[in-house]
Amino acid sequence: MDKDQFYMQQAIELAKLGRFTTTPNPNVGCIIVKNDQIIGKGFHLKAGLPHAEVYALKMAGDAAKDATAYVTLEPCSHYGRTPPCADALVRSGIKRVVIAMQDPNPNVAGKGIKRLKDAGIEVMVGVLNEQAEAINKGFLKCMRTGKPYVQLKLAASLDGKIAMASGESKWITSSVARQDVQQYRAQASCILSTRATVQEDNASLTVRYDELPDEIRKIYPQENIRQPIRVIIDSQNRLTGNENIFSQSGETWIVRKQNIPIIKPNTKLIIESSAQNQIDLVELLTELGKNQINSVWVEAGAHLAGALIEQDLVDELIIYYAPKLLGHNAKDLCVLPNLTKLSLAPQFQFESVVAVGDDLRIILKRK
Amino acid sequence: MDKDQFYMQQAIELAKLGRFTTTPNPNVGCIIVKNDQIIGKGFHLKAGLPHAEVYALKMAGDAAKDATAYVTLEPCSHYGRTPPCADALVRSGIKRVVIAMQDPNPNVAGKGIKRLKDAGIEVMVGVLNEQAEAINKGFLKCMRTGKPYVQLKLAASLDGKIAMASGESKWITSSVARQDVQQYRAQASCILSTRATVQEDNASLTVRYDELPDEIRKIYPQENIRQPIRVIIDSQNRLTGNENIFSQSGETWIVRKQNIPIIKPNTKLIIESSAQNQIDLVELLTELGKNQINSVWVEAGAHLAGALIEQDLVDELIIYYAPKLLGHNAKDLCVLPNLTKLSLAPQFQFESVVAVGDDLRIILKRK
């Protein structure tokens, strides 16, 4: 790891501090270094608040002159909710800017880099690019494709079962695993689920601050944790408004095919009126993308899981495996009705495996 | 790690060199140390050949006087296939013997230790006991319970499926995973399977030297690899003798309920005549134990897997997971007909997780 990578790594760690709050904005960290000393640090906390560079420059003050700035994402060049960071860097007298990656946002997309270069600043792009990609999977995918990054969470026994034949499923995984889920929920722009999960499990689909891992609560006060929007597919208009979910804090969006709203506080209707009977998942994700939902955390049953997989809409699988066997009569992890040949099986690749209490958490990416 | 542990660790590494050949004997390693120098090394290769201590003492020669010996298992005190090692240690003038664990073999069981102590040798027992247990799981379990150590190998998709509805199953896991299986086969006293696997998959259930991992072939010449005995359950007498398995090198034992032998070279009949229709698995394992089968590597379908699990006869699960999904119509990992309540689900605990090519190998122990 060379010096540029060393400082960029620290900027990336800073950027991560925003991961529960920046949506729909990206996570960005900035470090300003002069004579091998860090003289400025900043990260983006929340849309509407200043960008990482602004905080770092403020901390550095006049010392920023002739210093090097490390930024995890190309500085913006446009007037959005805040003035352009590229201009602030130029004004500060910074001599060199190291950027992990270009911003795919069409309002930036190289213009920030050009602005810096035009002002005579030495610019280097691509340092720890992969790590910088990893902290903004949602923002980047949405900017590039218009659709959010989809994480499908599953919890199963070793033999891939999610409930007994009777429906009994409380609990297959341990409480530690269920707490681990909370931190993923807390990072997502929205939680996607279905009418069945909401009614049958009476799920509240909220982030419960008390259940977040200790190391997160140590850093983040309760007011810094958002409730992700709950997006619930209800194609048959069966939700009544009396379910648990409607009395939780945070917004609930109901996805129906017709204009039949549920009159409840913080509840909104999304109409997906494709010709078919089912909700068109591609259209739904596109609609979510248009609403600045960058990342979707899916917690649902085997049917929605299977439909998302079959249509190749899942970017990441997060599977919690409990070390037990439930046998052939128990309920299956995902319904894939059209899969008849082994060669057509959806392929993933293992990204990480971690012990979570007595269970394993396995993360896979689409291959 | 203190000095005793340091040398014992090396003795354990030596012991492992016998893991493909010692059955039914245990793996044993011995190191002789004097003035912080290793002056003797030995391990047990094969029943009938000298024990680890004999090789190590031979290498040390007269220098063994006043030295310390590290042995991974209590030295034997009885005349078996070879004379007692405890006597050899006494004769050599060794001053101190460090032993990882007592031998549960009723012919030894503390008598070796007593023999050494009676001769005035300083004896220490229990150094790296757990690691020493781990290299002789089969021998130790069989000595303690009369039944072999049972490892059940499974290979499945992420959703716990082992074949498509059509029966198509070639291949779910990668060739690297299938090669990895070879090293486990090579260490087992026997491979347990069923008539269905032998006929439907036309499995040969042999160790294929060419497919063993490189690092094993580097150390072990082909002649040092045994063919484990193939034990095939055939309760309905449906094997004909024309299956692939009967033309392979190594022994085949057929388990039937009646005295209907298959007349083929190296083929033997085991009659398990319990009153019920199925083969009684407890009786079968007891019979294998009596035949000095210390460890059983099971490769079979969902029914035998389920029956072994349901009767709590599995010591270790080895599951290869391929990073793909096969869906609800595909075939299940194990048949557990009597499991109806979540609280009754067989519980295991994760021991290790390793990437094997594109797949994962997960090992679990019975909880």
Side-chain angles (χ1 to χ4, degrees), chain B residues 306-322:
Chain B
L308 287 166
I309 287 166
E310 203 149 64
Q311 293 176 58
D312 197 10
L313 297 173
V314 174
D315 296 292
E316 202 172 303
L317 283 179
I318 292 94
I319 314 184
Y320 294 87
Y321 284 105

Side-chain angles (χ1 to χ4, degrees), chain A residues 158-159 161 164 168 309 321 323-328 332 334-337 339-340 342 345-348 350 358, chain B residues 158-159 161 164 168 309 321 323-328 332 334-337 339-340 342 345-348 350 358:
Chain A
L158 297 168
D159 48 348
K161 301 295 181 173
M164 303 304 290
E168 183 191 5
I309 287 164
Y321 283 106
K324 53 187 83 161
L325 290 161
L326 300 190
H328 64 300
D332 283 310
C334 68
V335 171
L336 298 173
L339 184 62
T340 50
L342 195 47
Q347 299 264 353
F348 295 82
F350 292 106
D358 290 339
Chain B
L158 296 169
D159 48 348
K161 301 295 182 175
M164 302 304 289
E168 184 191 4
I309 287 166
Y321 284 105
K324 55 185 83 161
L325 289 161
L326 301 189
H328 65 299
D332 284 310
C334 68
V335 171
L336 298 174
L339 184 61
T340 51
L342 194 46
Q347 299 264 354
F348 295 82
F350 292 107
D358 291 338

Side-chain angles (χ1 to χ4, degrees), chain A residues 38-322:
Chain A
I38 293 178
I39 59 169
K41 281 182 174 192
F43 71 96
H44 184 49
L45 181 66
K46 214 176 191 166
L49 292 183
H51 289 183
E53 299 91 324
V54 174
Y55 286 112
L57 287 171
K58 197 171 168 187
M59 181 173 158
D62 292 343
K65 193 169 154 35
D66 294 331
T68 297
Y70 294 87
V71 200
T72 59
L73 188 68
E74 177 183 9
C76 62
S77 54
H78 63 298
Y79 283 85
R81 295 186 185 90
T82 59
C85 293
D87 290 1
L89 287 163
V90 169
R91 272 197 312 275
S92 71
I94 286 272
K95 193 177 166 185
R96 180 169 176 255
V97 178
V98 181
I99 297 168
M101 61 177 298
Q102 193 175 306
D103 187 345
N105 182 343
N107 289 325
V108 188
K111 289 178 210 147
I113 292 168
K114 185 170 180 305
R115 173 79 186 88
L116 297 173
K117 284 187 176 164
D118 287 350
I121 292 176
E122 183 193 333
V123 180
M124 184 172 177
V125 183
V127 173
L128 300 192
N129 184 291
E130 247 178 77
Q131 290 92 320
E133 284 268 346
I135 58 172
N136 282 314
K137 291 178 293 196
F139 171 82
L140 295 170
K141 185 182 170 197
C142 214
M143 278 295 164
R144 286 167 181 155
T145 70
K147 285 206 284 290
Y149 190 83
V150 177
Q151 295 176 299
L152 173 59
K153 174 248 165 183
L154 300 165
S157 60
L158 297 168
D159 48 348
K161 301 295 181 173
I162 58 169
M164 303 304 290
S166 66
E168 183 191 5
S169 67
K170 287 199 164 83
W171 294 104
I172 291 172
T173 52
S174 66
S175 61
V176 188
R178 298 197 306 277
Q179 284 177 32
D180 192 66
V181 167
Q182 292 285 321
Q183 63 169 310
Y184 286 100
R185 285 188 181 175
Q187 290 177 66
S189 308
C190 82
I191 300 172
L192 177 64
S193 192
T194 61
R195 192 278 317 165
T197 299
V198 166
Q199 285 188 330
E200 288 159 23
D201 300 351
N202 208 10
S204 55
L205 299 173
T206 52
V207 175
R208 289 180 286 276
Y209 185 75
D210 294 345
E211 293 183 17
L212 283 168
D214 283 350
E215 63 273 22
I216 290 175
R217 280 181 297 151
K218 240 177 259 166
I219 306 179
Y220 299 92
Q222 185 151 13
E223 58 269 25
N224 268 13
I225 301 293
R226 264 174 324 112
Q227 287 299 343
I229 297 163
R230 294 173 290 272
V231 179
I232 313 297
I233 295 176
D234 180 28
S235 53
Q236 312 299 316
N237 315 319
R238 287 155 75 182
L239 289 175
T240 63
N242 296 323
E243 292 81 4
N244 218 343
I245 205 171
F246 294 103
S247 55
Q248 306 296 323
S249 67
E251 286 183 54
T252 304
W253 294 1
I254 303 299
V255 187
R256 290 180 164 177
K257 297 194 75 67
Q258 297 153 285
N259 187 5
I260 305 176
I262 289 180
I263 312 301
K264 279 278 173 181
N266 301 317
T267 300
K268 175 178 138 174
L269 186 68
I270 297 187
I271 304 169
E272 192 289 294
S273 55
S274 63
Q276 53 173 14
N277 249 339
Q278 301 282 324
I279 297 293
D280 184 311
L281 295 171
V282 176
E283 279 188 32
L284 173 59
L285 291 176
T286 308
E287 181 66 18
L288 293 178
K290 279 185 199 152
N291 281 276
Q292 294 200 294
I293 299 281
N294 288 335
S295 64
V296 175
W297 175 257
V298 187
E299 290 192 44
H303 283 89
L304 180 58
L308 286 165
I309 287 164
E310 202 149 64
Q311 293 176 58
D312 197 9
L313 298 173
V314 174
D315 295 293
E316 202 171 302
L317 283 179
I318 292 95
I319 314 184
Y320 294 87
Y321 283 106

Side-chain angles (χ1 to χ4, degrees), chain B residues 77-339:
Chain B
S77 53
H78 63 298
Y79 283 85
R81 294 184 185 89
T82 60
C85 293
D87 290 0
L89 287 164
V90 169
R91 271 197 312 277
S92 69
I94 287 271
K95 194 177 162 183
R96 180 168 176 255
V97 178
V98 181
I99 298 167
M101 62 179 296
Q102 192 174 306
D103 186 345
N105 182 342
N107 290 325
V108 189
K111 289 179 210 145
I113 292 168
K114 184 170 182 306
R115 174 80 186 88
L116 297 173
K117 284 186 175 166
D118 287 350
I121 293 176
E122 183 192 335
V123 179
M124 185 172 175
V125 182
V127 173
L128 300 191
N129 184 290
E130 247 177 78
Q131 290 92 318
E133 284 269 344
I135 58 172
N136 282 314
K137 291 178 292 195
F139 172 82
L140 296 171
K141 183 179 171 198
C142 214
M143 277 296 164
R144 287 167 182 155
T145 70
K147 284 204 284 288
Y149 190 84
V150 177
Q151 295 176 298
L152 172 60
K153 174 249 167 183
L154 300 165
S157 60
L158 296 169
D159 48 348
K161 301 295 182 175
I162 58 170
M164 302 304 289
S166 67
E168 184 191 4
S169 68
K170 285 198 164 82
W171 293 105
I172 291 173
T173 52
S174 67
S175 61
V176 188
R178 298 197 306 277
Q179 282 177 34
D180 192 67
V181 168
Q182 292 284 320
Q183 63 168 311
Y184 286 101
R185 284 188 182 174
Q187 290 178 64
S189 309
C190 83
I191 299 172
L192 177 63
S193 192
T194 62
R195 191 279 315 165
T197 298
V198 166
Q199 284 187 332
E200 287 159 24
D201 300 351
N202 208 9
S204 56
L205 299 174
T206 52
V207 175
R208 290 179 286 277
Y209 186 75
D210 295 345
E211 293 182 18
L212 282 169
D214 282 350
E215 63 274 20
I216 290 175
R217 280 182 296 151
K218 239 178 260 167
I219 307 178
Y220 299 91
Q222 185 150 15
E223 59 269 26
N224 267 13
I225 300 292
R226 267 174 321 114
Q227 287 298 343
I229 297 162
R230 293 173 289 273
V231 178
I232 313 297
I233 295 176
D234 180 29
S235 53
Q236 311 298 316
N237 315 319
R238 286 154 77 182
L239 289 174
T240 63
N242 295 324
E243 292 81 4
N244 217 345
I245 204 170
F246 295 103
S247 56
Q248 306 297 324
S249 67
E251 286 183 55
T252 304
W253 295 1
I254 302 300
V255 187
R256 290 181 163 177
K257 298 194 72 70
Q258 297 153 286
N259 187 5
I260 305 175
I262 289 180
I263 311 301
K264 279 278 173 182
N266 302 317
T267 300
K268 175 176 140 175
L269 186 68
I270 297 188
I271 304 168
E272 192 289 296
S273 56
S274 63
Q276 52 174 13
N277 250 339
Q278 302 282 325
I279 297 291
D280 184 311
L281 294 170
V282 175
E283 278 188 33
L284 173 58
L285 290 176
T286 308
E287 182 67 19
L288 293 178
K290 279 184 199 152
N291 280 276
Q292 293 200 296
I293 300 281
N294 288 335
S295 66
V296 176
W297 175 257
V298 187
E299 290 192 44
H303 283 89
L304 181 57
L308 287 166
I309 287 166
E310 203 149 64
Q311 293 176 58
D312 197 10
L313 297 173
V314 174
D315 296 292
E316 202 172 303
L317 283 179
I318 292 94
I319 314 184
Y320 294 87
Y321 284 105
K324 55 185 83 161
L325 289 161
L326 301 189
H328 65 299
N329 287 326
K331 295 201 175 171
D332 284 310
L333 189 63
C334 68
V335 171
L336 298 174
N338 301 316
L339 184 61

